[in-house]
Amino acid sequence: QVHLVESGGGLVKPGGSLRLSCAASGFSFSDYYMSWIRQAPGKGLEWLSFIVGSGGSTIHYADSVRGRFAISRDDAKNSLYLQMNTLRAEDTAVYYCARGRDYFDFWGQGTLVTVSS
Amino acid sequence: DIQMTQSPSSLSASVGDRVTITCQASQDISNFLNWYQQKPGKAPKLLIYDASNLETGVPSRFSGSGSGTEFTFTITSLQPEDIATYYCQQYDDLPRTFGGGTKMEIE
């Protein structure tokens, strides 16, 4: 069955960096777009970015993270990544990886990122 | 960005009730709309895609309808396990955007 597991979250100071990973299993990872979506404490869902599979170059970002965050993937390792730089307090959230571009049919359990001094 | 407005933001109903949530898009999104269920402390789960298509394994008491700018999500007979927050999401344009959520509670 499809399984997505995020890791890499934690406490980081404002201006710092963090790299999130998402390990995928149970499906042909390279065939699928993958996305990152976050949820601030007590708030709703915010889509951040998606990346095409199979070695393509299609990537899109939300304005809130463009230029600070970078999505990437390693299809040989069935892994998705989110490099987060210049972190701000408002980036504090649970970060989910999800399968898909238009609708998100499988989600990981999420990893908490806290940006605080 | 396309704004998605859900109403109500919270809803209290009894077991067995028929409940309906609405989602309004700020522009025509055809049927490019999905619905998710999120239980406390859990990741969201896709229930409905393309406005009215039930995801595999989702109980038939859940349904969706609408097109253009107005959409509805219905639970025909509310069950205790349906306590959750429900979100709509459009994919007509980038960025993908979600509604603010509707928190469902049992009376």
Side-chain angles (χ1 to χ4, degrees):
Chain A
Q1 69 279 26
V2 173
H3 206 43
L4 299 170
V5 180
E6 301 93 338
S7 60
L11 176 64
V12 61
K13 289 181 168 55
S17 298
L18 213 54
R19 189 194 195 207
L20 306 183
S21 299
C22 171
S25 60
F27 65 103
S28 182
F29 182 72
S30 62
D31 288 344
Y32 288 86
Y33 280 81
M34 295 295 295
S35 294
W36 286 100
I37 296 160
R38 71 183 178 186
Q39 186 170 37
K43 302 298 184 182
L45 300 165
E46 180 187 14
W47 170 83
L48 300 179
S49 179
F50 68 61
I51 183 170
V52 69
S54 298
S57 59
T58 300
I59 288 175
H60 285 281
Y61 295 101
D63 287 347
S64 58
V65 302
R66 186 179 294 112
R68 299 188 301 124
F69 290 12
I71 192 172
S72 62
R73 63 191 294 162
D74 185 336
D75 288 348
K77 295 182 177 180
N78 289 345
S79 293
L80 177 72
Y81 306 102
L82 187 67
Q83 177 66 44
M84 304 188 296
N85 299 325
T86 319
L87 284 160
R88 307 165 179 164
E90 55 265 34
D91 294 318
T92 293
V94 173
Y95 286 73
Y96 297 100
C97 66
R99 190 176 81 168
R101 175 194 68 180
D102 298 335
Y103 58 84
F104 311 110
D105 57 355
F106 289 95
W107 299 58
Q109 85 288 349
T111 187
L112 176 63
V113 172
T114 303
V115 184
S116 174
S117 54
Chain B
D1 296 4
I2 298 175
Q3 306 302 316
M4 306 301 293
T5 303
Q6 274 183 248
S7 61
S9 57
S10 64
L11 177 56
S12 183
S14 300
V15 172
D17 282 354
R18 178 186 181 93
V19 296
T20 298
I21 299 169
T22 63
C23 182
Q24 182 175 46
S26 60
Q27 64 188 66
D28 189 333
I29 61 170
S30 185
N31 68 328
F32 300 144
L33 183 104
N34 308 312
W35 290 95
Y36 299 85
Q37 175 192 64
Q38 186 179 32
K39 296 184 177 181
K42 301 294 187 182
K45 174 186 176 182
L46 176 67
L47 298 181
I48 303 281
Y49 62 95
D50 295 347
S52 61
N53 293 309
L54 199 65
E55 176 71 344
T56 302
V58 174
S60 59
R61 65 179 180 274
F62 296 101
S63 65
S65 64
S67 66
T69 62
E70 300 286 337
F71 301 86
T72 61
F73 172 82
T74 299
I75 306 174
T76 53
S77 178
L78 187 67
Q79 299 302 303
E81 59 266 32
D82 299 336
I83 298 312
T85 300
Y86 294 84
Y87 294 93
C88 60
Q89 173 246 323
Q90 66 80 22
Y91 64 95
D92 180 65
D93 200 3
L94 291 167
R96 305 303 190 226
T97 48
F98 292 85
T102 296
K103 187 174 183 179
M104 192 85 65
E105 297 174 326
I106 297 283
E107 283 182 344

